[in-house]
Amino acid sequence: QVQLVESGGGSVQAGGSLRLSCSASRYTYSNYCMGWFRQAPGKSREGVATIHRDGSTSYADSVKGRFTISQDKAANTLFLEMNSLQPEDTAMYYCTADPRPGVCGPRRSFIYWGQGTQVTVSS
């Protein structure tokens, strides 16, 4: 029902920055927990950051202080500002959404997923 489309991925050198965007359909940001996940080849999926309808945010320990999740409700758009990127951040990044009640954090499950956008960080 909810459609999510990511953009903004690319290749950067270590220490660089990227800003990912996620366009969502309907009133997603008014009702849903929203988040970003990432997955590298051969590695497990990792929750990166989440933002709830009240604006509260949560981050994985690996990205605290470097990544910032935000949203533009009027534009139905979710953002992930990534700074001080390292090779370990290389992965496919996915925008996620879930309407179910519960804690809105990186470890919860999400039922709606975007197609992903690739981020590659070189040394």
Side-chain angles (χ1 to χ4, degrees), residues 31-33 50 52-53 56 98-105 108-110:
N31 304 305
Y32 293 4
C33 174
T50 57
H52 200 36
R53 66 174 70 91
S56 60
D98 199 300
R100 299 173 295 180
V103 176
C104 187
R108 74 164 290 163
S109 63
F110 291 81

Side-chain angles (χ1 to χ4, degrees), residues 22-66:
C22 172
S23 296
S25 64
R26 302 184 184 278
Y27 297 100
T28 302
Y29 302 123
S30 296
N31 304 305
Y32 293 4
C33 174
M34 305 292 297
W36 290 94
F37 276 73
R38 66 185 182 185
Q39 186 168 26
K43 298 184 178 180
S44 60
R45 180 184 60 202
E46 176 186 22
V48 176
T50 57
I51 186 167
H52 200 36
R53 66 174 70 91
D54 64 359
S56 60
T57 58
S58 295
Y59 297 91
D61 289 341
S62 59
V63 306
K64 287 181 179 177
R66 299 189 298 120

Side-chain angles (χ1 to χ4, degrees), residues 58-81:
S58 295
Y59 297 91
D61 289 341
S62 59
V63 306
K64 287 181 179 177
R66 299 189 298 120
F67 292 10
T68 302
I69 187 171
S70 62
Q71 62 188 33
D72 182 342
K73 292 186 176 181
N76 274 358
T77 304
L78 182 73
F79 302 100
L80 184 67
E81 186 74 37

Side-chain angles (χ1 to χ4, degrees), residues 6-25:
E6 304 96 330
S7 62
S11 299
V12 298
Q13 292 184 315
S17 300
L18 284 174
R19 189 192 195 195
L20 306 184
S21 299
C22 172
S23 296
S25 64

